[in-house]
């Protein structure tokens, strides 16, 4: 079975679907394999796709760097 790559139309439809947005700003779509899709208001940058485990790992790694940077500052 060959899986087709999503088209730009698929990405746009997923992005517009309110069922893919929890609390209006948390993006969760298992069909979307992108790590960082655009935010709901695309002019504001990118967000994490919480359905993608790699995205969540990247978010945790970035958040772990903050206290590490504060500890090394002293």
């Amino acid at each position: 079975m060959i899986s087709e790559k999503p088209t730009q139309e698929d990405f746009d439809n997923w992005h517009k679907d309110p069922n893919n947005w929890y609390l209006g700003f948390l993006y969760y779509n298992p069909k979307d394999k992108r790590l960082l899709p655009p935010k709901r208001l695309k002019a504001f940058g990118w967000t994490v796709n919480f359905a993608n485990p790699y995205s969540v790992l990247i978010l945790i790694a970035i958040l772990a760097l903050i206290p590490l940077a504060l500890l090394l500052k002293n």
Side-chain angles (χ1 to χ4, degrees), residues 7-73:
T7 64
Q8 186 62 44
E9 184 179 357
D10 291 330
F11 289 135
D12 292 340
N13 289 335
W14 291 338
H15 194 267
K16 292 175 189 172
D17 185 356
N19 294 321
N20 292 332
W21 294 93
Y22 292 101
L23 302 175
F25 67 95
L26 298 174
Y27 186 71
Y28 186 92
N29 183 0
K31 294 178 189 174
D32 190 348
K33 301 300 180 197
R34 295 178 293 178
L35 296 175
L36 300 169
K39 288 190 177 189
R40 197 159 197 176
L41 298 173
K42 293 181 183 183
F44 289 109
W46 306 92
T47 190
V48 174
N49 180 2
F50 286 96
N52 187 326
Y54 295 115
S55 292
V56 176
L57 287 175
I58 289 172
L59 178 64
I60 291 170
I62 290 171
L63 292 177
L65 289 175
I66 295 170
L68 182 63
L70 293 174
L71 287 173
L72 294 176
K73 180 181 174 185

